[in-house]
Amino acid sequence: MTPTTTTPLHVHVRHRTTDADTLYAAYTRARRDLAGVPGLTGLELLHDTADPDAWLLVMRWSGRAAYETWESSPAHRGYRSPMRPFQDRTHPDGHYTVYEDRAADESEVPAPAPAPTPAR
């Protein structure tokens, strides 16, 4: 699949905290603040099962154009995320990573084989 401006994009933002309740409250405010942003199709907050202080915010975008439009907009530049104090800015790869969803077009991916039926 060749990436295009309509290839879905995922932005993973790393967070660290021992205060899960405060982080979740900030996430709830961020969800409310970002509701209706064109091209933002979803937000998820994931907790690392191996590291109790590690969290990941996954922002799903309809495509690169929507993400870049938001990134360069005055609304984004003026927005201070309530989650910002928790961002893991010490991570060696930075506090966020942008991924293209290369398997978004399921027609190009073969369907998995059905699970075998156990013998009786």
Side-chain angles (χ1 to χ4, degrees):
M1 181 167 128
T2 304
T4 68
T5 56
T6 58
T7 300
L9 217 61
H10 299 257
V11 179
H12 292 187
V13 186
R14 289 176 275 282
H15 296 81
R16 289 199 69 75
T17 186
T18 58
D19 188 352
D21 292 338
T22 303
L23 175 66
Y24 191 77
Y27 167 70
T28 300
R29 284 192 310 275
R31 283 184 64 88
R32 184 183 59 240
D33 294 348
L34 298 173
V37 169
L40 181 61
T41 62
L43 291 172
E44 290 179 274
L45 182 61
L46 306 177
H47 188 212
D48 188 327
T49 59
D51 181 349
D53 298 343
W55 298 80
L56 185 70
L57 174 69
V58 179
M59 302 176 77
R60 291 185 309 277
W61 292 88
S62 60
R64 181 174 295 278
Y67 171 68
E68 290 176 350
T69 298
W70 163 248
E71 279 285 299
S72 63
S73 73
H76 177 257
R77 290 191 183 142
Y79 178 67
R80 183 149 179 95
S81 172
M83 297 182 73
R84 185 179 177 90
F86 303 101
Q87 290 174 353
D88 184 2
R89 294 183 175 263
T90 64
H91 194 281
D93 296 327
H95 73 284
Y96 74 97
T97 306
V98 179
Y99 297 92
E100 286 184 327
D101 186 347
R102 300 299 298 271
D105 183 353
E106 294 296 324
S107 67
E108 295 183 21
V109 179
T117 305
R120 294 185 190 224

